[in-house]
């Protein structure tokens, strides 16, 4: 049981990891992350890379949707912008450590172009405007063949540093994992400052935000640009990981996947982003294993149902969480933690 | 010397005239109360001053500058703060974060600095925290609730937190829309003391809309009476209380005649 925290200064009170135990756990986590690809094997390393990309993209969407209240149905398209940007940048000989920020910036710039007209409207109307962006960008990916390679897609060369190629999952992992940690930390930091507080204020009650001197349009645009930046970087990593950019990768199903991840994990919570993205990355793998068992036990047709089963499970999860646990896995985690902190005195 | 002046303010919703040629002058450093029966246009006047409603005609001058065309969020930066009739705090945040939002305009960190939280962004957050603790949280005696979410607070405390958020803006003029509505006597007395302290110790000009006549007559230095969107009287509390037009507006013509006779 823990009684309370003792803080001797305001700076200490505002620190992100304020107890010794938390710092120790954090150090252990970072060490585990560094050792993971050497211990985990190729399949787990592949999953970890995929998860890192999903984490960055989901964090961006959570900044927009969970924290600022701007529902976006076009997140995957902004990832696509980042992915194609990396393909184009690599063709021009730009190294990855410049290409990735460029991918983010390109995506944020497209975000501004979409946001400036559509942020004048709110709620569902805005969501529909982002849906339009999803389809328009998808159309551009398919039809602008000289840049995107059309439906055949564009190849992305491996990221390389002074002739050392980051090819293969284990090497790409060391590109994706540090970036994922940094960008999650950045998202968390955002909400310790005036910028992040302004986002939440706009979500909770826009009229009082305005009275406090927050320009709604500017801050909504900033949230949209940050969300798109994260999507762009995630898309760029996607390119370096799968080495190819095709239009159908960045369609509406992927946008809905991220929306599902932050709803399941917890809207407006970085911990929720992590839990939700992890959960949603593992669900398809779990289903695949389930289908494998079913086939092993004589249901030979089971594999046919895998794809539709995935959609059904995603749909059920969204509805289930919205109804029974609107604050997502993050809230379940907090409740569990509280229980053990107070045990045995209160349950 | 008047810090806020409205002239010929006219505001119409469809066929209804919410404000008709309203002229109000708020003396600097005092407590000015806006009173009137329900639907008289008190909150409409506040909303026009905050910049939510754009008046059809008329001008608004604040601290010597014409602000008639200034958007709502920019008026906050000039030194105009307000609270709302129904508490409008941000429910997804703690008390402390709500109050920190009041300091939004005085901080400078941009989105990029915020992502790293190093150097200036961290330093200005630390400064804001210390200032808020000293000047707002101690002053309003809410240090025991600073880490609680808004929903965990009783209504009277929520009103106090909303006042704290407005004070964190360090405004020149503080507009309070029904600061003691729904409070019991003790909470009302606390709030009255805070309002007087704000005005006397910090020299902040206070404007308030209030139905609690006891409070209005006790603490205000200047009273403006609205009825059907028009100013029907203004002056010191004692003058307004004797004004037959005011008595008629509140109690009806017959009662007013009987009272004067």
């Amino acid at each position: 049981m823990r009684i309370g925290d003792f803080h001797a200064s305001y700076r200490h009170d505002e620190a992100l990891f304020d107890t010794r135990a938390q710092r120790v756990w954090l150090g252990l986590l970072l060490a585990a992350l560094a050792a993971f690809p050497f211990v985990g094997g190729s399949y787990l390393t592949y999953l970890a890379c995929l998860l890192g990309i999903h984490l960055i993209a989901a964090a961006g969407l959570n900044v927009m949707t969970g924290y600022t209240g701007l529902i976006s149905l076009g997140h995957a398209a902004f990832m696509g912008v980042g992915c194609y940007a990396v393909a184009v940048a690599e063709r021009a000989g730009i190294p990855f450590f410049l290409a990735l920020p460029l991918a983010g910036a390109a995506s944020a710039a497209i975000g501004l172009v979409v946001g400036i007209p559509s942020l004048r409207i709110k709620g569902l109307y805005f969501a529909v405007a982002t849906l339009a962006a999803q389809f328009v960008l998808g159309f551009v990916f398919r039809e602008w063949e000289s840049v995107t390679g059309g439906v055949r897609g564009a190849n992305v060369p491996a990221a390389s540093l002074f002739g050392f190629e980051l090819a293969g999952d284990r090497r790409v992992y060391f590109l994706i994992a540090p970036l994922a940690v940094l960008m999650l930390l950045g998202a968390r930091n955002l909400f310790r400052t005036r910028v992040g507080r302004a986002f939440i204020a706009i979500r909770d009650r826009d009229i009082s935000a305005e009275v406090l001197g927050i320009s709604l349009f500017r801050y909504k645009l900033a949230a949209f640009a940050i969300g798109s930046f994260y999507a762009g970087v995630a898309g760029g990593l996607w390119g370096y990981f799968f080495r190819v950019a095709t239009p159908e990768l960045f369609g509406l199903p992927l946008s809905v996947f991220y929306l599902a991840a932050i709803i399941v994990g917890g809207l407006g919570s970085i911990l929720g982003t992590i839990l939700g993205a992890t959960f949603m990355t593992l669900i398809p793998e779990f289903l695949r294993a389930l289908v494998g068992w079913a086939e092993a036990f004589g249901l030979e047709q089971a594999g046919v149902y895998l794809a539709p089963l995935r959609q059904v499970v995603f749909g059920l999860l969204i509805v289930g969480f919205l109804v029974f646990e609107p604050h997502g896995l993050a809230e379940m985690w907090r409740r569990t933690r509280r229980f053990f902190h107070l045990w045995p005195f209160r349950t | 010397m008047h810090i806020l002046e409205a002239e010929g303010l006219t505001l119409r919703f469809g066929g209804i005239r919410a404000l008709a040629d309203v002229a109000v002058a708020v003396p600097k450093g005092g407590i000015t109360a806006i009173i009137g029966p329900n639907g008289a246009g008190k909150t409409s006047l506040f909303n026009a001053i905050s910049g939510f409603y754009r008046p059809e005609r008329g001008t608004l001058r604040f601290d010597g500058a014409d602000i008639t065309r200034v958007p709502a969020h920019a008026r906050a930066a000039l030194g105009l703060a307000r609270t709302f009739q129904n508490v409008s705090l941000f429910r997804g945040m703690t008390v402390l974060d709500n109050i920190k939002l009041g300091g939004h305009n005085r901080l400078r960190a941009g989105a990029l600095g915020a992502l790293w939280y190093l150097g200036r962004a961290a330093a200005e957050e630390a400064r804001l925290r210390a200032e808020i603790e000293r000047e707002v949280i101690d002053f309003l005696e809410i240090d025991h609730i600073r880490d609680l979410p808004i929903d965990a607070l009783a209504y009277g405390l929520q009103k106090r937190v909303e006042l704290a958020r407005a004070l964190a803006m360090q405004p020149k003029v503080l507009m309070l829309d029904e600061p003691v509505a729904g409070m019991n006597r003790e909470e009302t007395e606390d709030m009255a003391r805070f309002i007087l302290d704000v005005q006397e110790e910090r020299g902040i000009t206070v404007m308030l809309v209030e139905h609690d006549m006891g409070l209005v007559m006790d603490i205000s230095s200047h009273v403006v009476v609205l009825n059907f969107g028009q100013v029907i009287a203004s002056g010191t509390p004692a003058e307004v209380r004797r004004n037959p037009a005011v008595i008629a507006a509140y109690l009806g013509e017959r009662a007013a005649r009987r009272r004067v006779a």
Side-chain angles (χ1 to χ4, degrees), chain B residues 108-120:
Chain B
R108 286 288 153 261
L112 282 180
L115 288 170
W116 297 115
Y117 199 73
L118 294 169
R120 195 167 73 173

Side-chain angles (χ1 to χ4, degrees), chain A:
Chain A
M1 192 194 67
R2 202 164 84 179
I3 298 171
D5 303 322
F6 176 71
H7 295 147
S9 72
Y10 296 136
R11 191 174 276 268
H12 189 195
D13 191 39
E14 307 232 330
L16 219 47
F17 305 100
D18 58 340
T19 62
R20 183 183 296 265
Q22 268 177 335
R23 283 163 204 238
V24 170
W25 279 115
L26 186 71
L28 285 177
L29 177 69
L30 291 180
L33 282 178
F36 189 80
F38 302 107
V39 181
S42 62
Y43 176 62
L44 286 182
T45 308
Y46 159 83
L47 271 187
C49 288
L50 193 62
L51 173 60
I53 294 170
H54 285 334
L55 276 176
I56 296 174
L61 186 63
N62 217 343
V63 169
M64 282 169 64
T65 302
Y67 282 104
T68 319
L70 305 169
I71 299 168
S72 170
L73 292 169
H75 206 58
F78 289 97
M79 278 181 81
V81 172
C83 193
Y84 282 110
V86 158
V88 172
E90 281 286 342
R91 240 180 282 157
I94 298 172
F96 76 90
F97 51 86
L98 290 179
L100 280 174
L102 267 178
S107 187
I110 304 278
L112 289 182
V113 172
V114 174
I116 286 173
S118 44
L119 281 169
R120 290 169 199 282
I121 48 182
K122 285 207 268 192
L124 271 181
Y125 302 97
F126 175 78
V128 171
T130 59
L131 187 62
Q134 168 78 57
F135 284 109
V136 170
L137 286 171
F139 180 78
V140 172
F141 296 157
R142 275 195 309 278
E143 302 297 329
W144 195 12
E145 293 196 6
S146 59
V147 173
T148 64
V151 285
R152 279 174 295 108
N155 287 320
V156 183
S160 70
L161 188 63
F162 309 120
F164 180 76
E165 281 212 335
L166 293 177
D169 292 354
R170 189 184 286 175
R171 289 182 183 173
V172 180
Y173 174 88
F174 284 101
L175 177 61
I176 295 176
L179 261 179
V181 170
L182 270 183
M183 290 185 83
L184 282 173
L185 202 61
R188 182 68 191 81
N189 276 338
L190 195 59
F191 296 96
R192 300 161 76 194
T193 68
R194 74 195 279 259
V195 182
R197 283 195 299 268
F199 290 169
I200 304 177
I202 289 172
R203 176 196 70 191
D204 279 0
R205 202 170 280 249
D206 52 359
I207 287 183
S208 11
E210 217 173 351
V211 160
L212 296 172
I214 294 163
S215 161
L216 298 186
F217 184 65
R218 246 178 80 184
Y219 276 90
K220 282 184 185 176
L221 207 54
F224 201 58
I226 292 174
S228 307
F229 181 87
Y230 272 64
V233 172
L237 289 172
W238 184 291
Y240 283 125
F241 184 54
F242 289 108
R243 305 285 296 280
V244 64
T246 60
E248 75 270 17
L249 288 174
F250 304 108
L252 186 61
L254 188 63
S255 290
V256 174
F257 172 87
Y258 288 123
L259 218 45
I262 61 172
I263 289 172
V264 167
L267 292 166
S269 152
I270 300 295
L271 177 67
T273 305
I274 298 171
L275 294 176
T278 310
F279 191 75
M280 294 301 280
T281 310
L282 295 182
I283 282 276
E285 305 305 318
F286 175 72
L287 288 179
R288 189 172 303 158
L290 201 69
V291 167
W293 288 329
E295 278 175 340
F297 282 102
L299 280 167
E300 276 144 33
Q301 294 300 305
V304 180
Y305 300 109
L306 178 60
L309 190 65
R310 239 171 81 166
Q311 301 303 326
V312 170
V313 169
F314 282 176
L316 280 177
L317 277 173
I318 297 182
V319 174
F321 268 91
L322 283 176
V323 172
F324 297 109
E325 189 65 76
H327 297 290
L329 291 168
E331 183 59 28
M332 293 166 80
W333 165 252
R334 273 191 287 267
R335 248 199 327 263
T336 316
R337 228 169 70 120
R338 204 159 44 230
F339 174 84
F340 284 105
H341 277 172
L342 298 174
W343 191 85
F345 289 108
R346 220 169 95 193
T347 54

Side-chain angles (χ1 to χ4, degrees), chain B:
Chain B
M1 173 58 186
H2 295 125
I3 190 161
L4 186 76
E5 285 168 291
E7 253 171 64
L9 223 51
T10 302
L11 185 69
R12 210 191 294 265
F13 299 115
I16 300 163
R17 257 194 333 190
L19 296 174
D21 203 21
V22 167
V24 177
V26 178
K28 191 170 186 170
I31 296 181
T32 300
I34 315 281
I35 62 170
N38 287 326
K42 305 179 296 291
T43 299
S44 294
L45 176 62
F46 261 32
N47 283 341
I49 296 174
S50 313
F52 289 136
Y53 298 157
R54 185 151 295 175
E56 256 175 58
R57 267 185 292 116
T59 55
L60 271 170
R61 296 182 67 77
F62 176 67
D63 208 16
D66 188 336
I67 59 161
T68 320
R69 301 254 160 263
V70 174
H73 65 86
R75 293 185 193 196
L78 294 174
L80 205 55
R82 77 170 280 187
T83 66
F84 290 85
Q85 189 173 335
N86 312 312
V87 176
S88 69
L89 293 162
F90 307 114
R91 296 190 172 270
M93 278 186 261
T94 61
V95 168
L96 186 60
D97 276 347
N98 265 279
I99 299 173
K100 277 181 179 171
L101 266 156
H104 181 83
N105 265 319
R106 282 177 291 120
L107 303 183
R108 286 288 153 261
L112 282 180
L115 288 170
W116 297 115
Y117 199 73
L118 294 169
R120 195 167 73 173
E124 72 177 15
E125 284 297 324
R127 254 198 324 275
L128 176 71
R129 174 77 195 269
E131 173 199 303
I132 281 174
E133 292 284 347
R134 196 174 57 236
E135 290 176 15
V136 179
I137 292 185
D138 276 0
F139 172 67
L140 291 177
E141 297 159 22
I142 47 178
D143 40 341
H144 56 298
I145 55 165
R146 61 162 89 80
D147 289 328
L148 294 182
I150 298 301
D151 285 325
L153 303 181
Y155 178 74
L157 274 178
Q158 293 192 9
K159 283 256 178 196
R160 207 188 286 183
V161 172
E162 208 185 0
L163 174 64
R165 190 178 68 187
L167 280 182
M169 295 172 73
Q170 301 188 339
K172 292 182 184 136
V173 171
L174 177 61
M175 302 163 70
L176 305 171
D177 198 346
E178 305 204 9
V180 301
M183 286 191 176
N184 64 30
R185 178 181 294 262
E186 195 186 331
E187 290 169 329
T188 301
E189 282 170 4
D190 281 344
M191 187 56 90
R193 180 166 55 84
F194 290 132
I195 295 173
L196 279 171
D197 283 350
V198 164
Q199 180 245 346
E200 283 171 8
E201 290 174 17
R202 311 194 170 194
I204 296 174
T205 307
V206 177
M207 278 179 84
L208 60 101
V209 163
E210 188 46 69
H211 282 294
D212 184 328
M213 282 309 133
L215 178 87
V216 168
M217 294 303 163
D218 277 353
I219 70 171
S220 42
S221 51
H222 187 72
V223 179
V224 175
V225 190
L226 283 177
N227 197 21
F228 295 113
Q230 285 174 307
V231 176
I232 57 169
S234 70
T236 63
E239 284 166 8
V240 163
R241 202 180 344 215
R242 282 195 305 270
N243 189 315
V246 177
I247 299 168
Y250 271 90
L251 303 175
E253 293 284 345
R254 280 224 327 257
R257 270 203 302 279
R258 213 176 315 139
R259 193 131 170 204
V260 172

